[in-house]
Amino acid sequence: QVQLQESGPGLLKPSDTLSLICAVSGYSITNNYYWGWVRQPPGKGLEWIGTIHHSGTTYYNPSLNSRVTMSVDTSKNQFSLQLTSVTASDTALYYCTRQYDGSGSHPAVLGCWGQGTLVTVSS
Amino acid sequence: EIVLTQSPGTLSLSPGERVTLSCRASQSVTNSYLAWYQQKPGQAPRLLIHGVSTRATGIPDRFSGSGSGTDFTLTISRLEPEDFAVYYCQQYANSWTFGQGTKVEIK
């Protein structure tokens, strides 16, 4: 059974670069599904950040596109997120995700989620 | 960007009741590219429905989705104690966006 585990610094200063890793276990990242990131500010709703395929194809939220980079490390079976020039508004619980593996699924349909990692941006 | 507006913000209901949650889009959601998720406190969201009306694996048939164009609905035919949660709709027809959520709480 696939499991996703986020890791990375929990506290950043304004203008820092946020770097998170999602370690995938129980499933090969090179199988034909998309992997991604969603965030949730404390007490608020969900925001899609971006999605990546092991082939390198990426889709980013247009509102974050200029600051986001995602990559895949097939040797470690993990993928990563970088978000530059963070501000307090980037404070959130960051989830890594995998596309749902059911029939007719679309890359945006998120069937598997990590437990999330809280990133706080504060001076 | 398609903006999704969910209503109501909060519903106070009793177990056994029927629930209807609304998700309205600022422009047409094509190809039935709409999903619903459930999130309980302290947990990650869980996929309930995709393609407007297709239940995800393991989702009970008391959950159903319907709608087209700009108006979509998630119905829970009979509320179970484990259904009290926040529900989000998501469109993936034009970029990918979520609604702000509807909280279903115990009355």
Side-chain angles (χ1 to χ4, degrees), chain B residues 10 18 24 26 32 35 49-50 65 72 76 78 81 97-98 100:
Chain B
T10 302
R18 180 182 179 88
R24 179 161 290 177
S26 60
S32 298
I49 286 173
H50 66 101
F72 300 90
I76 309 173
R78 186 177 172 85
T97 56
F98 291 91
Q100 84 280 17

Side-chain angles (χ1 to χ4, degrees), chain B:
Chain B
E1 173 183 299
I2 297 178
V3 176
L4 299 178
T5 302
Q6 294 186 240
S7 61
T10 302
L11 271 172
S12 298
L13 297 164
S14 301
E17 290 196 81
R18 180 182 179 88
V19 184
T20 300
L21 308 181
S22 173
C23 176
R24 179 161 290 177
S26 60
Q27 54 187 278
S28 184
V29 177
T30 55
N31 300 116
S32 298
Y33 282 172
L34 188 112
W36 290 91
Y37 298 82
Q38 176 194 66
Q39 187 178 33
K40 297 179 182 179
Q43 296 185 17
R46 176 176 72 145
L47 175 68
L48 297 176
I49 286 173
H50 66 101
V52 173
S53 60
T54 302
R55 277 188 299 277
T57 302
I59 301 303
D61 60 7
R62 64 178 181 274
F63 291 92
S64 62
S66 62
S68 64
T70 60
D71 290 301
F72 300 90
T73 299
L74 175 69
T75 300
I76 309 173
S77 60
R78 186 177 172 85
L79 267 176
E80 297 289 339
E82 61 267 30
D83 299 336
F84 291 94
V86 179
Y87 292 84
Y88 295 95
C89 57
Q90 175 208 23
Q91 68 80 25
Y92 42 102
N94 182 341
S95 190
W96 306 344
T97 56
F98 291 91
Q100 84 280 17
T102 290
K103 182 179 182 180
V104 178
E105 64 178 21
I106 299 175
K107 188 173 183 180

Side-chain angles (χ1 to χ4, degrees), chain A residues 6-107:
Chain A
E6 306 90 347
S7 62
L11 182 61
L12 296 172
K13 291 185 176 356
S15 80
D16 281 350
T17 294
L18 179 158
S19 295
L20 297 177
I21 289 174
C22 181
V24 181
S25 58
Y27 196 84
S28 173
I29 204 167
T30 59
N31 284 346
N32 203 31
Y33 289 117
Y34 284 76
W35 308 85
W37 296 91
V38 171
R39 68 182 182 179
Q40 184 171 36
K44 296 189 178 180
L46 303 168
E47 181 180 32
W48 170 65
I49 300 171
T51 296
I52 188 166
H53 188 265
H54 71 85
S55 63
T57 299
T58 54
Y59 303 99
Y60 296 148
N61 185 326
S63 69
L64 299 171
N65 185 63
S66 62
R67 298 195 292 134
V68 171
T69 302
M70 295 178 60
S71 61
V72 171
D73 186 338
T74 57
S75 67
K76 295 181 178 179
N77 213 43
Q78 65 186 34
F79 60 101
S80 65
L81 168 70
Q82 284 200 325
L83 182 67
T84 61
S85 305
V86 298
T87 68
S89 63
D90 294 310
T91 293
L93 188 62
Y94 285 75
Y95 293 102
C96 59
T97 66
R98 194 204 72 180
Q99 177 185 353
Y100 173 59
D101 61 357
S103 174
S105 175
H106 181 282

